[in-house]
Structures are given as C-alpha cells and as structure tokens.
Amino acid sequence: MNLTTTTRQRWAWAFYDWANSAFITTVMVAFFPIFFRKYWANGLPSEDITLHLGTANALASVSIMLLAPFLGTVADQGGIKKPMMAAFVTLGVCATLGLTLVGESQWQWAMFAFVLAVVGFLGANIFYDSLLVDVAEEKDFNRVSALGYALGYLGGGLLFAVCVLLTLKPEWFGLVDKTAAVRWAFGITAAWWALFSIPLWLWVRERAPAQAVRPSLPVLLRQSVGQLRDTFRHIRQLRVVWLFLLAYWFYIDGVDTVILMSVDYGKALGFADDSLITALLITQFIAFPAALVFGWVGNQWGAKRGILAGLAGYVLITIMASRMENAQEFYLLAGSVGLVQGGVQALSRSLYASLIPAEQAAEFFGFYNMLGKFAAVLGPLLVGWVGVLTGSPRLGLLAVLLLFGLGAWLLWKVPRD
C-alpha cells in the first residue's frame, strides 16, 4: 500500500467522525433534550423529564451492551465490518429522520425513535473503532485516532452552528416557527450523517478474514458463538486488557454522562436555551484543536498519562459545575470540557487498539463498547435518581465523581507507558 493510499484511507476513516458527530452534538446533546422538555414532554414534572431522558439513554446503552461482543465476533469471522457498520448507520439515520414526524406531547414515541437512533449510532461505532487497526500502524494510533475526534468536533460544531441559526431565525429559511426549525435540524443531521459517511465506504479497506472463503450465515453464527467464548477467555488471560476495560468502564461513563446530561442540567438550573447552545458551540470548537494536541501528548508522554490528566480535569470541572450560578460560569466550564473531552476519548481508543490483536479488532472492540455502554447505563440513571431523591440536580451531578475516581485508580494500575 503506497503512501497516498494510506493517507487517503486514514482521512476517509477519520471523516466518519465528521459525519456522525453531528448526531451527538445536534440531536443527543442539544436539540433532543431541549425539545423533549419543552415540546414532547411538556407538562411533566422536571424531575420526571430528567428521569425519562436518563432512561432513554440507558435503554440504548443496554441494547448495545448485549449485542456488541457478538456483533464484533460475527464481523471479524466474516470480514464484514463495513457492511455491518452500514446497517447500523442506516438504522441511526432513519430513526433520526423519524424524530421529525413525532407530534406534540408524544414523549413515548420520541423516546422510541431516539433509542433506535442512539442504537444505530453506538452500533456503527463498534465497527468504526475497530477499523482503526486497518488504516494505521500501532505507532500512528494516537495521531490517527485524535484526527478522527478533531474532525468530529469541527464537523459537529459547524453543522450545529447552522442548526442554531436555523432555530434562531426560522423566517430566514421560510419556516413558520422554531418548532418547524428543530424538526428540520433533525432532518439535516440525518442527511449530513449519511452523506459524509460515503468516503469511508469508498476508500477504507478492511483486512481479509483468516478464512479464505466466507462461510454461510448459519455457519458464521455458529463459529462466532464459539469464537466469542474463546475471546472472553482470552481477555480474562490478558490482564492488561481486562484491567484497562474495567477502568474504561467507569471513567468513560463519567465522560458520557457529562456529555448527555449537561444541557438538561443547565435547564434544571434555569439557564436560557441560548446560553446552553452557546456553551455547546464553545465546547465543540475548543475540542477541535485540543484533540489534536492530545494526540501529540499521547505520542510524547504516553496515552495512559494523557488520559489520567484528562480525568483530573473532569474532576475539577464536575466540582465547579456543582457550584455554578450563572451562564458565564457555564461558558467557562464548557471551554474546560472542550479541552479534555476529545483527548480522553481519542487516547482511550488508541491505547486499547495497541493492547489487542489486530486480527480480532472488531470482537475486542465489541467488548470495549459493551463495557463502555454498560457503564453509560449507570451514569445517567445515577444523576437522575440522585436528583429525584435529594431534590437537587447539583448533588446528582456530584455523584459522577465516583465514576471518575474509580476509573482513574484502575487505569493507574494498567502496566502501560
């Protein structure tokens, strides 16, 4: 493979982050929680709305938790990472389009479409993450992984800015009101996700499976069940892998919870929608260069040290957020999150890729996504229930410190760097 082909594959792979990060920013983090609270669940108590949002995220995470290892094994055995990724991208895009059809006060249908969209997003990421070993050598994992996250923050931020303008000035676009504008934002996000996935389908090549001939589906399923058992035993024998996975299980949940619940937390404190949207834009555009810097940090001082530095930042951010009083402080915290968010995610992916056998990347990344999403079941529910039981969203947020602390302590014990 020549240098031009290698570079094109890496950029095509990284560009999928540009495609799907629009869904995270515009739908998961921003417009869905705001629209859910103000339109689909209008009239419900604030604590119930927070609980419903946490439940929706938890249901999607549980679904992927159960499917991820098996899906990864099937993909590796059959050499079908890209086709399976395409199936989940299609599910996510179609469900996102489905949100445009949900009517006022139909919060149950909104939750249903949202859960399917998130399952599509998370399921596709199993195969996307595992393709890192197909487009880069181990010495380049940190840099290429960081490039993906950096492009994701830039692309997600640009589309989000367009959608914000759409909702602030709907009349400029011939729309009747903000409700119509938000529906269009969901539709545009789905189209963006589908369109910018095309480079990956065209130019990324996955490794050929060990078997010269792809088996039939029934044979593939039987082989995958056996291989899944073997992989689980293999992980148990590889102390460095399972110790990292256990650490990741805890700390990435804290990261995901901050991402998923930040807007609803701000709404619960009474901040205006414009302030929350401005904060999200700050996060996106600071995270773009910060993720690239973390890629350099990972190469210079090691991925593990870079992750630990990011987690220390998250602890400080969480404590500051629990004492936050005004929108200006929210902006400061948003910028702080942008400094560490992409770095922790990118270096986690690259560190794990360096620990696992490349020929079993999809199934090992299946376990990676399984544990990450199983942890994400705990975080949103933890914030929601602590908030309900104490009547204080601030105390609910502080509960996330437990996840960061346990994750950092376990990661410190990983014999790496």
Side-chain angles (χ1 to χ4, degrees):
M1 185 183 295
N2 60 46
L3 182 61
T4 302
T5 302
T6 300
T7 301
R8 184 172 63 183
Q9 285 208 65
R10 290 177 180 180
W11 277 92
W13 176 85
F15 227 73
Y16 179 74
D17 247 313
W18 173 289
N20 76 343
S21 291
F23 174 77
I24 305 173
T25 309
T26 303
V27 178
M28 288 182 72
V29 177
F31 288 115
F32 183 83
I34 291 174
F35 206 56
F36 189 84
R37 182 174 287 273
K38 297 184 67 174
Y39 184 76
W40 286 316
N42 185 31
L44 295 180
S46 177
E47 294 81 5
D48 288 353
I49 294 173
T50 299
L51 183 58
H52 290 325
L53 286 170
T55 300
N57 284 299
L59 285 172
S61 297
V62 167
S63 301
I64 291 300
M65 176 197 75
L66 297 175
L67 290 172
F70 181 71
L71 292 173
T73 304
V74 170
D76 277 333
Q77 290 286 306
I80 51 173
K81 287 185 281 189
K82 284 178 63 179
M84 294 186 72
M85 180 180 171
F88 278 93
V89 170
T90 301
L91 173 63
V93 168
C94 291
T96 304
L97 282 174
L99 288 171
T100 66
L101 306 176
V102 180
E104 186 175 6
S105 300
Q106 295 181 335
W107 62 268
Q108 298 95 331
W109 282 108
M111 283 184 63
F112 177 71
F114 179 72
V115 168
L116 289 182
V118 176
V119 166
F121 169 79
L122 296 176
N125 277 354
I126 297 171
F127 311 105
Y128 170 62
D129 289 343
S130 69
L131 285 168
L132 175 60
V133 303
D134 294 274
V135 301
E137 301 298 326
E138 183 175 341
K139 63 183 177 61
D140 297 318
F141 283 168
N142 290 330
R143 185 164 54 85
V144 176
S145 182
L147 174 65
Y149 274 104
L151 287 178
Y153 283 116
L154 181 59
L158 288 174
L159 181 67
F160 183 49
V162 171
C163 291
V164 168
L165 182 61
L166 189 73
T167 57
L168 293 178
K169 299 292 182 181
E171 65 277 6
W172 289 4
F173 302 90
L175 302 175
V176 294
D177 55 22
K178 286 189 175 183
T179 297
V182 172
R183 293 184 185 280
W184 269 92
F186 291 144
I188 292 170
T189 300
W192 177 285
W193 188 357
L195 177 64
F196 289 109
S197 298
I198 292 174
L200 186 146
W201 314 131
L202 292 178
W203 292 311
V204 170
R205 298 289 180 264
E206 63 180 288
R207 298 173 188 267
Q211 304 172 88
V213 179
R214 182 180 298 173
S216 64
L217 183 59
V219 173
L220 179 60
L221 293 175
R222 286 197 301 271
Q223 289 179 347
S224 298
V225 172
Q227 183 61 45
L228 184 60
R229 290 194 298 266
D230 292 341
T231 302
F232 183 70
R233 286 195 293 267
H234 194 183
I235 288 175
R236 290 176 60 191
Q237 294 168 359
L238 295 174
R239 180 178 181 273
V240 66
V241 173
W242 66 255
L243 189 57
F244 170 80
L245 285 173
L246 190 59
Y248 179 78
W249 177 21
F250 285 109
Y251 74 71
I252 204 64
D253 176 52
V255 173
D256 288 346
T257 301
V258 170
I259 295 171
L260 295 173
M261 305 300 287
S262 57
V263 168
D264 189 67
Y265 177 69
K267 289 294 293 180
L269 295 182
F271 295 160
D273 291 350
D274 290 351
S275 297
L276 301 176
I277 289 171
T278 300
L280 288 173
L281 285 170
I282 291 171
T283 300
Q284 291 298 117
F285 290 112
I286 290 179
F288 164 59
L292 293 175
V293 170
F294 262 90
W296 177 83
V297 168
N299 280 344
Q300 295 297 312
W301 291 299
K304 187 176 85 170
R305 294 187 182 94
I307 296 168
L308 288 170
L311 295 181
Y314 264 112
V315 169
L316 294 175
I317 289 167
T318 304
I319 294 171
M320 291 168 61
S322 70
R323 302 180 178 183
M324 181 171 54
E325 297 291 345
N326 54 58
Q328 287 70 33
E329 292 176 335
F330 198 53
Y331 298 153
L332 176 62
L333 289 171
S336 301
V337 169
L339 289 173
V340 296
Q341 180 172 288
V344 169
Q345 294 169 320
L347 293 183
S348 296
R349 179 167 63 189
S350 60
L351 175 58
Y352 185 67
S354 71
L355 300 176
I356 62 175
E359 68 277 6
Q360 295 174 277
E363 58 193 90
F364 271 77
F365 267 105
F367 281 92
Y368 176 84
N369 281 276
M370 178 192 72
L371 291 180
K373 296 315 151 190
F374 180 70
V377 174
L378 302 177
L381 290 177
L382 190 62
V383 171
W385 277 110
V386 172
V388 168
L389 293 175
T390 64
S392 170
R394 298 179 186 275
L395 291 177
L397 184 65
L398 281 175
V400 177
L401 290 176
L402 176 65
L403 303 173
F404 287 131
L406 285 171
W409 176 67
L410 289 166
L411 182 63
W412 181 260
K413 292 179 173 293
V414 173
R416 193 73 172 185
D417 296 334

